[in-house]
Amino acid sequence: MPLRRKPVLPDTIARHRGALALSAEHGVTDFYQGVVPALVPLLVAERGYDYAHAGGVVLAATLVSSLTQPLFGVLADRGPAPGRVRAVGLLLAAAGIGAVGSTTSYAATCAALVLSGIGVAAYHPEAAKAAHRTGTGDRGMGWFTFGGLAGYAAGPVAAGAVLLPFGLVATPLLAVPAVIALLAGRFRGRSPEPGDDHSDAPVAGTNRWREFGWLTVIIVLRSVLFYGVSTFLVLSLAERLGAPPSTASLALVLFSAAGAVSTLAGGGLVERFGRLTVLRVSHLTGLLLLGCLITAPAVPIALVAAAALGAAVNLPLPVHTTLGQHYLPRNLGIAGAVTLGISVSSGGAAVPALGAFANVHGTTAALAVLLPLPALATALTAFLRDPAEQAEQAEQAEL
């Protein structure tokens, strides 16, 4: 009697299944980045840190991650992308956050967060290559980015639920999502994403480093804006409008959650309007909404402005990654390290300076300092061209 063959999923379903699995994996990793801004109010309250020292904690979690991210990108480009590298990255990210509650000095707290940042840096380049190999384009990258931002948005929620009742001593409980992900066995051996058999084949195309450089500047400007708002939003609402801690924390949750959801719309908008249009509109809208946030006369209006700002600031994230990969087709690891990793972490380098400014002028003034950034980012898009659009125009010209 002949053996019955197992049905094979259509290629498109298999590709999207791989993208969704990576999205969930990305969410668990970036959850630990989302916890960091939520630690700031607790460190100020429990350990008496001023705003500058609290900003230094954010810097510890992000600066080393930003500096080492390109190195991990180079390593990712030199060989296949084993799942174990992503697993180690997740493990370090969780271990660093979990250790914060047991630290007894400022230096030890910073060291724990440096460890977490290194884990995040190790994860993103390999994950970006795996996401690219699924072959799902802007929509797939939108889901992948959504996973990371959803995890980031869950960070403040989980930190509030776990740490507000028990204090910083409960930070080891925040490592539970990583333990579950690792026990699930998702990271064993080489990643099973569709197309993996050809992941190391020569890549056609020429690297366009100059345009990638301009894109990187835009990414850093967006990251400074995002981290500045994430760090000082709660403190600003409490300081300026007298919002209670639970309400002020809700603003951060709305900012992060709306940003995560907005990435899902990016793929459809890109197909209709193009990558560069999405970039320009999102940054211009972010400028207007930041102004609304810092001038909101009441807490409900501020909450709406925070949610809308989060959506505008995060909408172009999938575009950053797909455009970066088009600019560096021969170095996908470096492209992912910059567009996925540095896009989140580089802004933390500016937070201590913003904290020092806030010590003198207040947290709302620190947010106001960020206003020129989206305007500058919009202007810099003039130096960018979309390779995919240029290829289509060339084909139409030949016809």
Side-chain angles (χ1 to χ4, degrees):
M1 196 174 169
L3 294 176
R4 183 177 299 175
R5 291 186 177 183
K6 292 180 65 177
V8 180
L9 285 171
D11 185 56
T12 55
I13 296 178
R15 289 201 305 269
H16 283 87
R17 186 177 64 176
L20 291 174
L22 279 165
S23 175
E25 176 187 305
H26 191 195
V28 177
T29 304
D30 280 9
F31 167 83
Y32 294 102
Q33 287 187 310
V35 169
V36 175
L39 291 175
V40 170
L42 288 168
L43 291 169
V44 171
E46 287 192 25
R47 299 185 179 177
Y49 293 173
D50 61 18
Y51 294 144
H53 281 84
V57 168
V58 178
L59 175 65
T62 57
L63 180 60
V64 174
S65 180
S66 297
L67 293 176
T68 58
Q69 202 105 213
L71 172 61
F72 285 111
V74 171
L75 294 176
D77 284 331
R78 288 187 175 180
R84 66 179 65 90
V85 174
R86 305 201 307 270
V88 170
L90 173 58
L91 179 63
L92 294 178
I97 292 295
V100 168
S102 61
T103 57
T104 56
S105 68
Y106 182 74
T109 301
C110 290
L113 291 172
V114 164
L115 179 67
S116 181
I118 290 174
V120 171
Y123 173 83
H124 279 107
E126 299 284 9
K129 286 186 67 177
H132 179 80
R133 289 198 307 275
T134 63
T136 49
D138 287 287
R139 288 186 181 273
M141 192 59 69
W143 277 104
F144 179 71
T145 307
F146 167 76
L149 291 173
Y152 189 96
V157 178
V162 173
L163 302 182
L164 286 178
F166 305 108
L168 290 171
V169 70
T171 56
L173 295 176
L174 297 174
V176 170
V179 173
I180 294 174
L182 291 168
L183 291 178
R186 167 81 184 118
F187 298 92
R188 292 175 185 167
R190 285 175 57 85
S191 59
E193 287 80 23
D196 190 51
D197 292 341
H198 306 287
S199 61
D200 300 314
V203 180
T206 302
N207 286 345
R208 298 164 64 161
W209 288 101
R210 178 176 297 180
E211 286 175 286
F212 186 78
W214 287 118
L215 177 64
T216 300
V217 175
I218 293 171
I219 287 172
V220 170
L221 291 173
R222 177 260 164 208
S223 182
V224 173
L225 173 62
F226 180 81
Y227 246 99
V229 175
S230 296
T231 303
F232 297 109
L233 175 59
V234 174
L235 297 169
S236 174
L237 292 183
E239 178 185 280
R240 186 171 71 88
L241 298 176
S246 59
T247 303
S249 296
L250 176 61
L252 181 58
V253 173
L254 292 174
F255 175 77
S256 301
V261 173
S262 74
T263 61
L264 296 179
L269 292 174
V270 164
E271 290 177 359
R272 184 169 183 179
F273 301 107
R275 292 189 178 99
L276 298 183
T277 299
V278 170
L279 277 180
R280 290 165 183 148
V281 171
S282 63
H283 287 300
L284 278 176
T285 305
L287 170 64
L288 297 174
L289 290 170
L290 179 58
C292 291
L293 176 64
I294 62 180
T295 58
V299 171
I301 298 175
L303 293 178
V304 173
L309 177 61
V313 169
N314 285 339
L315 179 64
L317 283 182
V319 177
H320 290 164
T321 303
T322 56
L323 192 57
Q325 289 174 334
H326 275 85
Y327 286 149
L328 300 185
R330 296 181 177 275
N331 294 96
L332 296 177
I334 293 177
V338 172
T339 59
L340 274 174
I342 291 181
S343 67
V344 177
S345 59
S346 60
V351 172
L354 287 172
F357 185 85
N359 282 335
V360 178
H361 301 286
T363 53
T364 302
L367 292 178
V369 170
L370 302 173
L371 281 169
L373 302 185
L376 179 57
T378 304
L380 292 179
T381 61
F383 296 102
L384 302 181
R385 298 292 182 272
D386 188 343
E389 292 182 2
Q390 289 180 311
E392 290 180 5
Q393 292 171 358
E395 289 180 3
Q396 292 175 357
E398 291 178 359
L399 297 175

